[in-house]
């Protein structure tokens, strides 16, 4: 078969296909080819390999791309973002510099609640336009799939508005968007002291969101002072009944057993985990829950980093994401997150790449379609401006992307 597009002269092709290795580190068990090529047909991977390609896979219509010996990876996956929101919160940065904590600001009606206000006030069109600007930046950093949560509405109308923005965006720009309903992101002011009523309200939203086919996942902010373990269990169990797959913001600030709950409910992923307990690590491992680590949030909130080396030693699979949101991590730059992970989580280059490709796909339950360069999978790839993966992690704060290919089309070309 003849390809539509062929990338040749690839120095290092990290396919992220999981392979058996004698190395026991199951975060490094991915395939890396050298002097390689990838052929694409109809938006999917047709063929790949090392050495010279068979001349029969090209004709005079095939687009040929010389990778000039650089690094090529699967399209990066940012599997945890709060993309759709109104406003920004630069004022909080300077309140924090004067000693206020993230929780102090939230308890005073700021934080998430101030973004809720801005999101309610914004029209759907305004939210689309704002999010589109962010998506354009993400694409430039090599991201071809993201997850996008609601949770800045906390009422049915605004939650639906946010999720409908995801749907519109999915049709208007190249990045694939996986939607998550996170109605339980904070307790609205008017429900202070009536938390159980708010939980009932969120539970009532679940079938409506599902009927409208607006979200695949349900997530919750399980944290001391936000939603307790019992409340989180209640909401997530109901969500499961209505057909949602589950995620949980767990042990971000305090260790309250959120990861243990993730294990108990067999959630697809568990997020943050900066304060995870040893029991929590075992619960993730034993139940195949992906640990979705967001080191940009630790960096920005000046908090502990999640104990990733310990998790890897226990055999937990790690994904890395931005957590892009206006409060705890205002950046769309997944490459920066990868660099922070290499520096502060002491992850190896291969572990970092695995975490933003095949493991990002697993944390979205999409590992059959995306996350690795394998025959039949979506042709989502990044060509970097670098001949080594190490260099991409070392030279921080810049954009290393040369070209992004999404569903077989060149969508970014630097
Ligand atoms: O993942 N932890 C809860 N939610 C977000 C922050 C949201 C915000 O501050 O607006 C997070 O860090
Ligand atoms: Fe988050």
């Amino acid at each position: 078969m003849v390809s539509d597009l062929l990338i040749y002269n690839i120095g290092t092709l990290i396919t992220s296909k999981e392979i058996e290795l004698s190395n026991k580190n199951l975060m490094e068990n991915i395939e890396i080819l050298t002097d390689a090529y990838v052929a694409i047909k109809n938006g999917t991977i047709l063929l790949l390999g090392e050495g010279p390609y068979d001349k029969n896979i090209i004709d005079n219509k095939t687009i040929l791309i010389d990778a000039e010996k650089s690094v090529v990876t699967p399209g990066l996956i940012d599997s945890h973002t709060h993309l759709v929101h109104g406003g920004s919160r630069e004022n909080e940065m300077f309140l924090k510099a004067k000693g206020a904590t993230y929780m102090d600001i939230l308890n005073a009606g700021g934080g998430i609640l101030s973004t809720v206000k801005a999101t309610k006030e914004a029209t759907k069109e305004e939210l689309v336009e704002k999010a589109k600007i962010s998506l354009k930046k993400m694409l430039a950093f090599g991201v071809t799939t993201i997850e996008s949560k609601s949770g800045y509405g906390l009422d049915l109308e605004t939650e639906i508005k946010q999720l409908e923005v995801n749907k519109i965006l999915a049709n208007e720009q190249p990045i694939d968007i996986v939607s998550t309903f996170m109605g339980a992101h904070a307790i609205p002011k008017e429900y202070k002291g009536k938390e159980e009523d708010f939980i009932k309200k969120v539970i009532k939203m679940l079938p409506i969101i599902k009927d409208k086919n607006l979200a695949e996942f349900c997530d919750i902010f399980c944290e001391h002072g936000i939603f307790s373990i019992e409340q989180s269990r209640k909401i997530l169990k109901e969500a499961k009944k209505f057909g949602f797959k589950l995620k949980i913001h767990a042990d971000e600030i305090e260790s309250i057993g959120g990861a243990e709950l993730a294990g108990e409910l067999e959630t697809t992923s568990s997020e943050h985990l900066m304060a995870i307990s040893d029991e929590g690590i075992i619960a993730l491992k034993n139940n195949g829950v992906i640990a979705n680590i967001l080191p940009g949030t630790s960096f920005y909130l000046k908090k502990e980093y999640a104990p990733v080396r310990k998790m890897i030693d226990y055999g937990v699979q790690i994904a890395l994401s931005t957590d892009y949101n206006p409060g705890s991590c205002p950046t769309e730059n997944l490459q920066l997150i990868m660099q922070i992970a290499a520096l502060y989580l002491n992850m190896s280059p291969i572990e970092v790449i695995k975490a933003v490709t095949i493991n990002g796909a697993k944390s979205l339950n999409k590992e059959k379609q995306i996350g690795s360069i394998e025959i039949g999978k979506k042709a989502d790839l990044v060509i970097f401006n670098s001949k080594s993966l190490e260099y991409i992690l070392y030279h921080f704060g810049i954009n290393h992307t040369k070209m992004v290919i999404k569903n077989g089309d060149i969508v970014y070309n630097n």
Side-chain angles (χ1 to χ4, degrees), residues 4-21:
D4 302 329
L5 189 147
L6 176 86
I7 310 168
Y8 67 100
N9 197 19
I10 302 171
T12 306
L13 176 65
I14 303 169
T15 70
S16 287
K17 176 185 173 183
E18 289 186 296
I19 50 171
E20 294 246 356
L21 283 183

Side-chain angles (χ1 to χ4, degrees), residues 31 34 41 44 51 56 63 74 81 105-106 118 141 150 165 171 180-181 186 197 227 312 315 327 337 388 400:
E31 177 186 62
T34 48
K41 174 91 186 163
T44 57
N56 292 322
I63 299 168
T81 85
I105 295 168
L106 179 60
F141 286 116
S150 68
V165 168
N171 291 322
T180 296
F181 169 63
D197 290 348
F227 295 95
I312 292 175
I337 303 308
S388 90
H400 292 277

Side-chain angles (χ1 to χ4, degrees), residues 80 82 149 249 272 294 323:
H80 180 140
H82 302 254
K149 303 174 197 295
H249 279 61
H272 287 291
L294 315 161
D323 194 22

Side-chain angles (χ1 to χ4, degrees), residues 124-125 128 163-173:
K124 204 191 280 180
E125 293 68 33
V128 168
L163 295 169
E164 284 177 347
V165 168
N166 282 344
K167 254 198 178 158
I168 295 169
L169 290 167
N171 291 322
E172 290 191 359
Q173 53 75 56

